Amino acid sequence: MAFKSKIKWVALFVLTLSLASLVAHLSMTKFSSMNLVQYSAKEALSHDFPNTGSPTRRNKRLWGAVRSLESLQPHANPRSSYPVPDENTNGFIYAKIFGGFEKIRSSICDLVTISRLLNATLVIPEIQQSTSSKGVSYKFKSFSYLYDEEQFIMLLKNDVNIVKSLPEYLKAARRRSEFPTFKPKNSASPNFYVKEVLPNLKKAKVVGLIVTDGGCLKSILPPSMSEFQRLRCRVAFHALQFRPEIQILGLRMVERLRASGQPFLAYHPGLVRDTLAYHGCAELFQDVHTELIQYRRAQLIKQGIINDSLSVDSHSRRENGSCPLMPEEVGLLLRALGYPSKTIIYLAGSKTFGGQRLLIPLRALFGNLVDRTTLCSKTELSDLVGPEAPLPADIFRLPLPKSEQQLIDQWKKAGPRPRPLPPPPDRPIYQHEKEGWYAWILEKDKEPDPSPMEHRMQVHRLIWDALDYIVSVEADALFPGFNNDGSGWPDFSGLVIGQRLYERASSRTYRPDRKTIAALFNITRDDMYHPKRDWMLSVKEHLNRSLSEDGFFRQSLLSKPNSFLSHPLPECSCRIPSVETTKQIKGKDGRIVFGGEEECPKWMELARAEGARNDDMESAEDDNDTVEQLEPDAVDATSSLTSLIDHDEEWDPND
């Protein structure tokens, strides 16, 4: 009996301690939750860089300009006889543009070029992604949702006649579809428009174009049409200005990134569902994302866009360089280059397929990974979209119950005997199991139509991409996770690279060869976080070579045949004569893709000479600086990485 009483006292004591521990934890949770503060990128950056606003010396190896490209200058002005368009044109061209941000920007440039080619008056194109039927604010038309109409018309007045809408006497006929309409391919030749479209334009005075593939004119035009190539540059890099509200907030984001006095790097993952499905990269993902990519790939096969089997080896595609670099791999590449863990990285891209889960390794390597949501307040972002009508309530309704006869018929039509086991006991079925991905992937063969909220989010992504575009162009360095994919569609990173190449060719823009990078990772796949010295040196050599002529050559061969705007050389640039002679690089077709630029006008040479003197004075002061003063602890950053290389040791980013 005494033994049993002791057990009771011990049990009572343990129960009392458990209750006391539970009460203590609940009280701690209650008081600690009141002190939770929402993450703020500005506060985090000011904590990492306390000397906010003070100038810091930059490590030239990480942020310096590419010397061999400094002689390239933007020069898209006409070089030969270029008459102003006559008011008496052959007629009007109106167009409907389908697609996202990249396709819209490229398509508008082609439409202006075609209007000049046919001596036609261009009606400001309709962007179908942002029409009133998609629920955009009443303040904007489709074109003005993204771009400034007045600037667009004014800056192209010497190139093309542009009007905001058709004359009143032609609008009714257009509503009745009385005018001929064409749906050209993105690789349509100028002869197609001269022989097929121009006769109809002269006859009907109005012609409609439907642009769906991110363009309606072939990228590489004959040398005799170099002025039309320069017109594309004037449209993309000068006339297509975002509306003032977008420009102001985009530049404000750049100021906030540089408020700490530190440079920043822009990174675009390029993880887009359509692109992943086109190249067959489904197996690089897990769970439901693989099913989503495969479903989209099946759709592209049915549409005739892909002439390949549904199931492919994604890992072989990755080794071939067709799949994007994963964020984890990009983080390791940047650390191998010498970028410290406190480097400010701006994450571009309105949507990363795969979600935040894929970004966890990159955030672990670089704590200052920010995007528009951490740089801007909700009010600033909501002001850009303007006042929108409230969406109807999305109320979930259970399916109608089946009658007894329907259940009997369903039982008779069941699979072969023996019958399956009876279902398990009823349990609560949550709403997420009946909606969205899980429901249609497991129970239906057809993807459900987008909800009103999804339509609205697609429209908003145009604005988010515009903000990311502004920040990426202004970034001190750019690292694309995916570009030059060869699918024929323009991509975000390609357009950003093209504009940076046009405005500042010497800006630090990495152009990695994904096939080479995949081979390098295969060497150290088992020790990715402990790479050897030789591996790091190989990564550095490849990425540094991608900054200059080697990267130019690859980009011209892969990008220019699909999108002229991603490599607008040599038509839209000029070269200031320098002491160093630049060798000419020719493509497969014999055309000069680098080194064949014309000499710049004298006034540009004088301005460049004065700027070069100032740069030389700054570089002379920084030549002795081998370590960037980016973070106070010398253990992290480039100095620790250099010491590891010197001692031929393994690298651990946590050290």
Side-chain angles (χ1 to χ4, degrees), residues 19-30:
L19 290 175
S21 175
L22 180 62
V23 172
H25 280 83
L26 289 176
S27 60
M28 291 174 60
T29 304
K30 179 180 179 181

Side-chain angles (χ1 to χ4, degrees), residues 100-111:
F101 177 84
E102 304 85 7
K103 293 184 178 181
I104 291 170
R105 194 169 184 86
S106 181
S107 299
I108 293 174
C109 299
D110 287 352
L111 288 171

Side-chain angles (χ1 to χ4, degrees), residues 346-378:
Y346 180 81
L347 180 67
S350 57
K351 183 179 180 181
T352 300
F353 189 80
Q356 294 294 320
R357 174 178 62 85
L358 293 181
L359 300 174
I360 292 176
L362 181 61
R363 292 187 186 277
L365 290 170
F366 294 95
N368 292 322
L369 181 66
V370 299
D371 57 12
R372 68 178 185 282
T373 59
T374 54
L375 287 176
C376 305
S377 64
K378 291 183 178 179

Side-chain angles (χ1 to χ4, degrees), residues 116-129:
R116 173 76 187 191
L117 176 66
L118 302 183
N119 187 26
T121 299
L122 176 65
V123 180
I124 287 202
E126 296 177 4
I127 301 174
Q128 298 302 300
Q129 191 75 4

Side-chain angles (χ1 to χ4, degrees), residues 359-614:
L359 300 174
I360 292 176
L362 181 61
R363 292 187 186 277
L365 290 170
F366 294 95
N368 292 322
L369 181 66
V370 299
D371 57 12
R372 68 178 185 282
T373 59
T374 54
L375 287 176
C376 305
S377 64
K378 291 183 178 179
T379 303
E380 290 175 323
L381 296 177
S382 61
D383 288 344
L384 286 184
V385 302
E388 295 178 327
L391 294 173
D394 187 12
I395 302 175
F396 172 71
R397 294 180 177 85
L398 289 171
L400 296 175
K402 296 181 180 180
S403 64
E404 184 177 356
Q405 184 62 38
Q406 288 176 332
L407 292 175
I408 294 174
D409 294 340
Q410 186 175 357
W411 175 261
K412 291 179 179 179
K413 294 178 181 179
R417 274 59 174 177
R419 301 285 188 182
L421 294 173
D426 292 338
R427 66 172 179 82
I429 299 178
Y430 300 99
Q431 182 173 342
H432 73 270
E433 296 179 313
K434 291 177 174 283
E435 289 183 324
W437 297 346
Y438 300 96
W440 70 263
I441 284 181
L442 298 177
E443 300 178 3
K444 300 179 182 178
D445 295 331
K446 183 179 180 182
E447 185 174 1
D449 296 330
S451 65
M453 177 57 71
E454 289 173 336
H455 276 302
R456 180 161 290 183
M457 291 175 63
Q458 290 175 3
V459 177
H460 292 173
R461 287 191 195 110
L462 297 179
I463 297 180
W464 311 151
D465 283 333
L467 292 175
D468 292 344
Y469 191 88
I470 294 173
V471 177
S472 299
V473 170
E474 296 294 330
D476 299 280
L478 174 70
F479 196 102
F482 192 69
N483 70 308
N484 306 335
D485 60 350
S487 65
W489 302 325
D491 60 276
F492 183 91
S493 295
L495 294 182
V496 172
I497 289 174
Q499 179 137 1
R500 289 170 64 91
L501 176 59
Y502 173 78
E503 292 184 356
R504 299 182 306 277
S506 60
S507 59
R508 204 164 190 86
T509 304
Y510 294 98
R511 304 173 181 87
D513 183 354
R514 293 187 299 276
K515 184 175 181 180
T516 303
I517 296 297
L520 288 172
F521 273 113
N522 286 339
I523 296 173
T524 184
R525 182 62 62 181
D526 296 334
D527 299 304
M528 290 177 60
Y529 284 86
H530 301 275
K532 300 291 185 178
R533 173 194 176 191
D534 293 343
W535 186 87
M536 296 172 63
L537 293 178
S538 299
V539 168
K540 279 187 176 182
E541 180 184 2
H542 171 71
L543 293 179
N544 287 330
R545 288 176 61 187
S546 73
L547 293 169
S548 54
E549 286 88 348
D550 290 341
F552 268 66
F553 183 63
R554 284 193 63 260
Q555 184 179 348
S556 65
L557 296 180
L558 296 175
S559 296
K560 193 167 182 176
N562 295 322
S563 175
F564 171 75
L565 297 179
S566 55
H567 188 82
L569 293 182
E571 294 88 347
C572 298
S573 297
C574 63
R575 185 178 295 277
I576 295 177
S578 59
V579 179
E580 301 177 359
T581 58
T582 304
K583 62 178 181 179
Q584 294 185 351
I585 300 177
K586 295 184 178 181
K588 295 180 180 179
D589 56 354
R591 298 186 61 185
I592 298 175
V593 297
F594 179 72
E597 296 79 18
E598 300 178 3
E599 288 191 8
C600 294
K602 294 296 183 184
W603 62 270
M604 294 181 69
E605 296 182 20
L606 295 175
R608 172 61 191 154
E610 184 170 351
R613 284 196 296 269
N614 297 332

